[in-house]
């Protein structure tokens, strides 16, 4: 957070300045616990950022987006009316 001046990086990219309240882990801690405190991670020879300071709104949007992606990755028929 200190490296990014405690600013939300998504808001900053859109031209706004908003205080970051939390850090978003790109690589989920549950799946990749060894990367929990790692600033970067490497995939197929390319280095990516792992910890991104975000405000509450942007952090919630990121998690909503990732939940949507998980639902799309599921294979097979899933009945929305589970009865």
């Amino acid at each position: 957070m200190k490296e990014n001046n405690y600013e939300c990086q998504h808001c900053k990219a859109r031209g706004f300045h908003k205080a970051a309240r939390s850090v978003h882990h790109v690589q989920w801690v549950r799946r990749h616990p060894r990367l929990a405190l790692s600033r970067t991670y490497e995939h197929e020879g390319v280095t990516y950022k792992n910890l991104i300071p975000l405000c509450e709104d942007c952090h919630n949007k990121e998690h909503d987006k990732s939940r949507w992606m998980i639902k799309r990755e599921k294979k097979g028929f899933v009945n929305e009316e589970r009865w």
Side-chain angles (χ1 to χ4, degrees), residues 10 24-28 31 41 59-76 78:
H10 286 186
H24 176 65
H25 293 81
V26 175
Q27 293 298 316
W28 299 343
R31 286 190 184 172
Y41 68 97
H59 200 197
N60 290 336
K61 287 177 188 174
E62 276 298 312
H63 282 280
D64 286 342
K65 181 171 69 173
S66 57
R67 283 189 193 112
W68 176 81
M69 290 171 66
I70 291 169
K71 288 178 185 175
R72 291 213 26 152
E73 289 175 2
K74 288 184 180 177
K75 295 181 180 177
V78 177

Side-chain angles (χ1 to χ4, degrees), residues 38-55:
S38 178
R39 291 182 180 132
T40 60
Y41 68 97
E42 197 168 315
H43 179 68
E44 296 181 357
V46 180
T47 303
Y48 298 95
K49 284 186 173 185
N50 186 40
L51 304 176
I52 303 173
L54 296 177
C55 64

Side-chain angles (χ1 to χ4, degrees), residues 7-27:
E7 294 176 332
C8 174
Q9 296 304 295
H10 286 186
C11 289
K12 188 174 182 178
R14 293 186 313 231
F16 301 104
H17 291 284
K18 197 169 181 182
R21 298 279 179 162
S22 60
V23 176
H24 176 65
H25 293 81
V26 175
Q27 293 298 316

